[in-house]
Amino acid sequence: MDWIPKTRLGQMVFNGEVTTMSEALETRLPLREAEIVDVLLPDLKDEVIDLNMVQRMTDSGRRVRFAVTCIVGNGDGFIGIGKAKGKEVGPTIKKAIDNAKLNVIEVKRGCGSWECGCGQPHTIPFEVSGHTGSVTVYLKPAPRGISLAVGDVAKKLLTLAGVHDAWGFATGNTKTKVNYAMATFEALKMTARMRITEEQARRLKIVPGPVGMVMSEAGADIEEE
């Protein structure tokens, strides 16, 4: 990669001092270069959540711009969301993806459902909620095999974050995809913010970041890579 780092964190990644995304986030240094994520998470996937054409009348005529919201994730503990506006669709999508990379967070997963007890980090460890605009999203741990019993927008984020089972519901104007996606992202962010004891981590099998677990083709079992 022809990349010349411009930030301290970028230099640390470039010099091999930081080798994982978890280590990069633990430094608490600002993430300002998308190339850092490209190096540390080479298997990152992206998806466009919302694309709107915004028209505005000016003295020189009608001006058209595009508003794009994208999400990125590696399907194993990391998820990011970003927005961008521009005159052309292609460059605007790329900018939104880069912004999503700069907002990558580490998600905690575990076996938080009292109905399960399988000991695998397949769901969220505890109930969380997120709020953006009029939309509030509530996510709850689910037993293994339930899959993602949530709305379509939330399902996309949870899948890219590596959460395979969850119950959830949302209140407010959920037809506003951007607010729905942002509220879900805020809920996932709470898994990282909430403090847990060593006993809770051991009992609920809570693991931050990658665990090397992927969904099988059948979509019902979890298997190690």
Side-chain angles (χ1 to χ4, degrees):
M1 179 185 293
D2 188 15
W3 168 47
I4 301 177
K6 300 177 182 178
T7 63
R8 182 182 173 189
L9 180 58
Q11 288 284 355
M12 294 173 70
V13 172
F14 189 79
N15 295 332
E17 299 173 41
V18 173
T19 58
T20 67
M21 197 68 220
S22 297
E23 291 177 358
L25 296 176
E26 286 176 1
T27 65
R28 302 292 183 182
L29 294 172
L31 184 58
R32 293 174 178 167
E33 296 179 85
E35 291 84 358
I36 294 174
V37 183
D38 292 334
V39 172
L40 301 180
L41 296 175
D43 55 345
L44 204 68
K45 299 177 182 178
D46 56 75
E47 186 168 346
V48 177
I49 288 292
D50 187 65
L51 194 158
N52 276 326
M53 183 174 67
V54 181
Q55 299 186 33
R56 188 177 66 176
M57 289 299 298
T58 64
D59 294 338
S60 58
R62 190 186 304 273
R63 179 174 296 178
V64 177
R65 290 174 65 84
F66 296 93
V68 180
T69 302
C70 291
I71 56 174
V72 297
N74 70 335
D76 191 19
F78 293 101
I79 182 75
I81 188 169
K83 297 185 286 186
K85 293 182 179 180
K87 297 179 181 179
E88 299 179 13
V89 176
T92 306
I93 291 177
K94 186 180 184 306
K95 184 178 179 181
I97 292 174
D98 286 343
N99 289 338
K101 291 176 182 178
L102 301 182
N103 291 323
V104 163
I105 61 170
E106 187 177 59
V107 177
K108 283 191 178 79
R109 291 168 292 169
C111 184
S113 175
W114 63 272
E115 300 175 273
C116 189
C118 70
Q120 299 289 346
H122 62 96
T123 185
I124 55 177
F126 34 71
E127 182 177 349
V128 291
S129 63
H131 177 79
T132 300
S134 68
V135 182
T136 301
V137 172
Y138 302 88
L139 300 175
K140 299 180 179 181
R144 188 173 175 178
I146 289 294
S147 192
L148 298 174
V150 296
D152 291 339
V153 174
K155 185 178 294 185
K156 292 178 181 179
L157 273 85
L158 291 175
T159 299
L160 282 183
V163 178
H164 302 295
D165 302 286
W167 276 313
F169 67 94
T171 61
N173 186 13
T174 55
K175 292 184 179 180
T176 308
K177 289 185 178 181
V178 176
N179 284 350
Y180 193 180
M182 291 297 297
T184 304
F185 183 72
E186 289 298 320
L188 290 173
K189 192 183 292 186
M190 288 300 296
T191 66
R193 288 178 177 173
M194 292 186 70
R195 295 182 179 179
I196 57 174
T197 64
E198 291 184 5
E199 190 277 330
Q200 288 174 322
R202 184 172 59 255
R203 177 169 52 86
L204 301 176
K205 310 299 180 184
I206 298 175
V207 180
V211 295
M213 309 293 286
V214 297
M215 184 69 76
S216 68
E217 293 182 1
D221 299 318
I222 308 294
E223 55 186 20
E224 291 189 5
E225 289 183 324

